[in-house]
Amino acid sequence: MSYAAGEADHNDHHHHAPSGITRWLFTTNHKDIGSLYLWFSFTMFLVGGAMAMVIRAELFQPGLQLVDPHFFNQMTTVHGLIMVFGAVMPAFTGLANWMIPMMIGAPDMALPRMNNWSFWILPFAFAILLGSLFMEGGGPAFGWTFYAPLSTTYSSDSTALFVFSVHIMGISSIMGAINVIVTIMNMRAPDMTYMKMPLFVWSWFITAFLLIAVMPVLAGAVTMVLTDKYFGTSFFDAAGGGDPVMFQHIFWFFGHPEVYIMILPAFGIVSAIIPAFSRKPLFGYASMVYATGAIAGLSFLVWAHHMFTTGMPVAAELFFMYCTMLISVPTGVKVFNWVATMWRGALSFETPMLFALAFVILFTIGGFSGLMLAITPVDFQYHDTYFVVAHFHYVLVTGAIFSIMAAAYYWLPKWTGHMYNETLGRWHFWLSLISVNVLFFPMHFAGLAGMPRRIPDYSLQFADINQIVSIGGFAFGLTQLLFLYIVIKCVRGGEKAEAKPWDGAEGLEWTVPSPAPYHTFETPPEVK
Amino acid sequence: MTDTNSRPDNMRIVRRLLFTVAGMFAFGFALVPIYDVICDLTGFNGRTNNEQAAANVREVDTSRTVNVQFITRVNKGMPWDFEPEVTSVRVHPGETRVVNFLAHNLTRGDMVAQAIPSVAPGEAALYLNKTECFCFNQQPLKAGDDVAMPMQFYLDPDIPDHIHTLTLSYTLYDMTAHATPDVLALMQQPAD
């Protein structure tokens, strides 16, 4: 909310701009809503992170120390739900709100009142989810994937609250996605053709279609869990003719496109930052667009690689294995394009570039472990071990979250009008880089050695490795408080930022002053 | 600003997107019958054809022998004993065999149960034909009673050569609360 100070002086063109809390409650301004999303996301990142700290504290030593197993299960479940739906997705939506209108030369999002709604129902969704932790019998404890019958027959009485909170999160995402699509289709400046749009806009355009396609399927899945648990239906209950394995098919039909929803906007961010700090245009723009589309299309054909061990026919296992491996082709195109962009560029290593470079390297490590998991016969060894935990934290933490941090540093001067403290930014980067690898890299070895995930205790031979992992976890968690300090310091003041603080940056957002005025591009800009 | 001419256009796109959302929500539910059909067609997930098959009219293939194993379990909280009379039989494809499954109601109340089959490997499920099975119907059992329940089956002679062993698993569920009227009527009759 600290943006209020920086932007208050621009409010005077806006008739009857409400002040105080009502400014934020009733705002239809894409920049305000973007800021709300980003602050909400960071709050949830800290809440979900605190739960991760509970998990790592419990796993610091073998045996049961701090929390009882049921509470441990609630922590793994709610940590996952909050990080996916509360931290990563709202952060990307916030970036979309702030940047897409400014990148395509639009005055605002196409549906500003719906935009207000799609943000303001989110705090209620997470209040319901977090509130369920305090109910008798506890909150959701079945993992963020809420497999039936864990979420039906064996779940606590508060499951209905979980279901409704997921419904609200889904409605919010769908409204956000509709807004992004309509904005991009209808609000571009006159000469902003589709193939001139920045890649961040392109990747969000494709992400929005993925959201429209799969969030309703998630809504269907939680609705079936609700009726199975409370209204006597048998979608997933074999006694009534249903099938628990079907739950996994429906869930992962949503779940796999969902993981690309959490990474495609990251590709867009990195495709903006690497050219800016290489002082070269992006290599292979068109191939980047097509690769993003190809990844999105293939994401609908690979869901069952999450369930190789459920006893599928060999032919189906091979189909899903090969389709999964095929995804590495467009992903490889992207990685090679980023590297080719840097080739013989005049590189400089400010904080956004450091995070973007770390993204390219560490996301690729996560991609490689994903390829290993895609190999059906070896997946039987890796399934449900810490190897999987290591894999998806590499793609989501050093992938999605590093890209969000890169984006924050890259655009903070535009948002606040001040430069962040570069020295502190680099400290944040290097501490994050070292601690995140201490945190997640050893998990690969624990998993290969057979340590199962989602269990509050482990055999003694995993003790050393878990102690190292936990130390990395605490260090990574503390380092993020430094990020909060840097952002608040930057909002409050600092060196005055120019309209274009990065000499190699391109795009319409750098043609408006810093901080960006409350209203931008009320007359469409000229696009070269 | 292009606001005036873009606004009706916005609503058209929004309508189409909302239509897609509604369609995908419906598709999520349509996956349920689609899944059933695919399982029935492919034996995916070990789903057997749980309807009475016609008696075998084809030759018995004595050149091959397939080991058919039986395993049973009761659903969590189901207080019955339930086990097969034999744990495995060796059959020639086409040969009709009967295996009895023994159920014992250990409680002091009359109960109704239903057994749900599953076959591993799933591929073999398509070739297991039951001409008679207790699993087609609900099974009433009075307090403390036991019963031998027959299952008559043959393997389709077309069963692929590489299948040497298949496992038929039954899980017994408590259906007392969902008993069909005819089963209830059966249970009201005095014991002989």
Side-chain angles (χ1 to χ4, degrees), chain A residues 406-446:
Chain A
Y409 283 112
Y410 185 56
W411 284 307
L412 260 177
K414 181 56 60 188
W415 298 337
T416 64
H418 306 126
M419 297 306 286
Y420 60 89
N421 184 321
E422 184 63 42
T423 313
L424 286 179
R426 288 182 193 201
W427 269 101
H428 173 225
F429 169 74
W430 286 106
L431 287 174
S432 293
L433 181 79
I434 294 165
S435 59
V436 86
N437 282 295
V438 174
L439 167 58
F440 294 123
F441 207 79
M443 284 186 184
H444 290 112
F445 306 124

Side-chain angles (χ1 to χ4, degrees), chain A residues 177-307:
Chain A
I178 290 177
N179 218 337
V180 166
I181 292 173
V182 178
T183 305
I184 294 174
M185 289 179 80
N186 278 2
M187 306 277 284
R188 280 169 292 128
D191 292 322
M192 177 64 77
T193 59
Y194 278 109
M195 289 312 270
K196 277 189 197 165
M197 294 195 309
L199 260 171
F200 179 70
V201 180
W202 252 117
S203 60
W204 239 110
F205 193 46
I206 293 167
T207 302
F209 279 105
L210 285 180
L211 280 165
I212 298 274
V214 299
M215 291 310 282
V217 177
L218 173 70
V222 289
T223 307
M224 289 181 217
V225 165
L226 183 79
T227 60
D228 263 20
K229 185 165 175 63
Y230 298 98
F231 301 108
T233 59
S234 302
F235 289 107
F236 309 127
D237 183 6
D243 190 336
V245 176
M246 184 179 70
F247 174 86
Q248 299 185 27
H249 283 285
I250 297 177
F251 178 81
W252 287 114
F253 184 84
F254 146 80
H256 202 79
E258 167 69 17
V259 305
Y260 293 118
I261 287 166
M262 291 191 284
I263 204 65
L264 295 185
F267 292 164
I269 291 164
V270 171
S271 303
I273 291 174
I274 288 182
F277 294 93
S278 306
R279 291 158 185 86
K280 273 176 68 191
L282 183 70
F283 183 88
Y285 171 88
S287 68
M288 285 298 221
V289 173
Y290 297 132
T292 311
I295 293 172
L298 283 172
S299 73
F300 288 98
L301 298 177
V302 298
W303 77 88
H305 68 210
H306 296 268
M307 35 193 299

Side-chain angles (χ1 to χ4, degrees), chain A residues 34-236:
Chain A
S35 303
L36 286 171
Y37 264 114
L38 289 169
W39 279 111
F40 177 78
S41 150
F42 193 74
T43 312
M44 284 296 122
F45 180 61
L46 294 183
V47 172
M51 292 174 180
M53 296 298 105
V54 173
I55 295 167
R56 282 322 318 174
E58 175 59 51
L59 293 174
F60 191 73
Q61 288 185 334
L64 298 175
Q65 267 79 234
L66 300 171
V67 295
D68 73 283
H70 184 58
F71 188 73
F72 182 90
N73 290 345
Q74 292 173 54
M75 286 295 102
T76 56
T77 304
V78 183
H79 164 73
L81 289 166
I82 286 197
M83 288 307 196
V84 169
F85 295 105
V88 175
M89 289 169 69
F92 282 137
T93 316
L95 291 171
N97 265 293
W98 249 105
M99 302 319 300
I100 287 178
M102 294 206 320
M103 285 177 159
I104 61 173
D108 204 306
M109 296 293 276
L111 308 159
R113 269 172 288 191
M114 192 172 82
N115 208 7
N116 173 293
W117 260 92
S118 60
F119 172 76
W120 276 111
I121 59 176
L122 265 190
F124 293 93
F126 286 92
I128 292 172
L129 180 64
L130 289 170
S132 76
L133 286 173
F134 300 98
M135 308 279 294
E136 210 176 309
F142 29 70
W144 85 276
T145 53
F146 61 103
Y147 277 13
L150 292 177
S151 57
T152 54
T153 316
Y154 303 103
S155 60
S156 60
D157 292 339
S158 69
T159 304
L161 294 176
F162 155 80
V163 169
F164 294 139
S165 70
V166 172
H167 273 146
I168 300 172
M169 294 168 203
I171 292 169
S172 164
S173 302
I174 289 169
M175 290 201 292
I178 290 177
N179 218 337
V180 166
I181 292 173
V182 178
T183 305
I184 294 174
M185 289 179 80
N186 278 2
M187 306 277 284
R188 280 169 292 128
D191 292 322
M192 177 64 77
T193 59
Y194 278 109
M195 289 312 270
K196 277 189 197 165
M197 294 195 309
L199 260 171
F200 179 70
V201 180
W202 252 117
S203 60
W204 239 110
F205 193 46
I206 293 167
T207 302
F209 279 105
L210 285 180
L211 280 165
I212 298 274
V214 299
M215 291 310 282
V217 177
L218 173 70
V222 289
T223 307
M224 289 181 217
V225 165
L226 183 79
T227 60
D228 263 20
K229 185 165 175 63
Y230 298 98
F231 301 108
T233 59
S234 302
F235 289 107
F236 309 127

Side-chain angles (χ1 to χ4, degrees), chain B:
Chain B
M1 209 155 41
T2 51
D3 225 12
T4 39
N5 43 23
S6 74
R7 207 162 258 158
D9 211 8
N10 282 355
M11 284 331 288
R12 207 188 52 181
I13 302 176
V14 170
R15 260 199 305 278
R16 285 184 184 177
L17 291 174
L18 285 176
F19 186 75
T20 315
V21 168
M24 287 309 294
F25 186 70
F27 176 73
F29 285 87
L31 284 173
V32 177
I34 292 172
Y35 180 80
D36 273 349
V37 170
I38 291 176
C39 286
D40 288 345
L41 288 179
T42 62
F44 204 69
N45 202 26
R47 191 83 71 90
T48 66
N49 185 1
N50 210 26
E51 271 159 31
Q52 192 163 10
N56 187 26
V57 290
R58 285 190 283 175
E59 289 271 307
V60 175
D61 178 3
T62 51
S63 66
R64 290 180 61 199
T65 312
V66 177
N67 189 18
V68 182
Q69 304 174 323
F70 306 101
I71 51 178
T72 56
R73 53 188 292 266
V74 290
N75 193 33
K76 191 188 173 200
M78 173 68 172
W80 286 25
D81 268 349
F82 177 48
E83 51 194 36
E85 213 168 44
V86 288
T87 52
S88 69
V89 292
R90 298 179 66 79
V91 297
H92 300 303
E95 176 190 3
T96 303
R97 291 288 281 269
V98 180
V99 174
N100 281 320
F101 286 72
L102 310 172
H104 184 188
N105 181 353
L106 299 173
T107 68
R108 294 173 179 208
D110 299 348
M111 287 180 71
V112 179
Q114 169 100 43
I116 305 287
S118 175
V119 172
E123 196 185 357
L126 298 176
Y127 302 95
L128 179 75
N129 295 307
K130 297 174 203 155
T131 49
E132 201 189 311
C133 182
F134 58 94
C135 57
F136 298 154
N137 302 306
Q138 294 187 343
Q139 296 295 314
L141 204 53
K142 286 184 186 295
D145 269 7
D146 51 42
V147 65
M149 304 182 294
M151 194 272 294
Q152 189 180 60
F153 73 99
Y154 65 92
L155 295 179
D156 192 311
D158 294 336
I159 188 165
D161 285 339
H162 64 87
I163 298 178
H164 305 291
T165 301
L166 65 88
T167 308
L168 174 59
S169 151
Y170 279 110
T171 307
L172 198 67
Y173 291 90
D174 180 3
M175 298 293 282
T176 313
H178 310 279
T180 53
D182 50 320
V183 173
L184 281 177
L186 209 66
M187 210 158 47
Q188 300 311 317
Q189 287 169 10
D192 8 82

Side-chain angles (χ1 to χ4, degrees), chain A residues 286-449:
Chain A
S287 68
M288 285 298 221
V289 173
Y290 297 132
T292 311
I295 293 172
L298 283 172
S299 73
F300 288 98
L301 298 177
V302 298
W303 77 88
H305 68 210
H306 296 268
M307 35 193 299
F308 280 145
T309 58
T310 55
M312 279 188 286
V314 175
E317 289 180 338
L318 290 177
F319 171 81
F320 287 112
M321 170 171 126
Y322 289 127
C323 279
T324 304
M325 294 186 159
L326 202 56
I327 292 185
S328 58
V329 176
T331 313
V333 167
K334 289 184 156 294
V335 172
F336 284 119
N337 280 347
W338 291 322
V339 174
T341 306
M342 287 184 272
W343 178 252
R344 294 190 169 175
L347 271 68
S348 60
F349 299 97
E350 287 87 345
T351 314
M353 181 63 162
L354 291 173
F355 272 104
L357 285 176
F359 170 93
V360 173
I361 295 163
L362 298 177
F363 173 79
T364 305
I365 291 179
F368 282 144
S369 58
L371 265 178
M372 290 170 72
L373 286 161
I375 304 169
T376 310
V378 298
D379 178 72
F380 278 72
Q381 181 193 344
Y382 306 157
H383 189 85
D384 258 348
T385 67
Y386 263 80
F387 190 81
V388 179
V389 178
H391 158 69
F392 68 72
H393 281 95
Y394 262 88
V395 290
L396 286 176
V397 179
T398 59
I401 289 181
F402 267 34
S403 82
I404 293 164
M405 303 223 167
Y409 283 112
Y410 185 56
W411 284 307
L412 260 177
K414 181 56 60 188
W415 298 337
T416 64
H418 306 126
M419 297 306 286
Y420 60 89
N421 184 321
E422 184 63 42
T423 313
L424 286 179
R426 288 182 193 201
W427 269 101
H428 173 225
F429 169 74
W430 286 106
L431 287 174
S432 293
L433 181 79
I434 294 165
S435 59
V436 86
N437 282 295
V438 174
L439 167 58
F440 294 123
F441 207 79
M443 284 186 184
H444 290 112
F445 306 124
L448 291 179

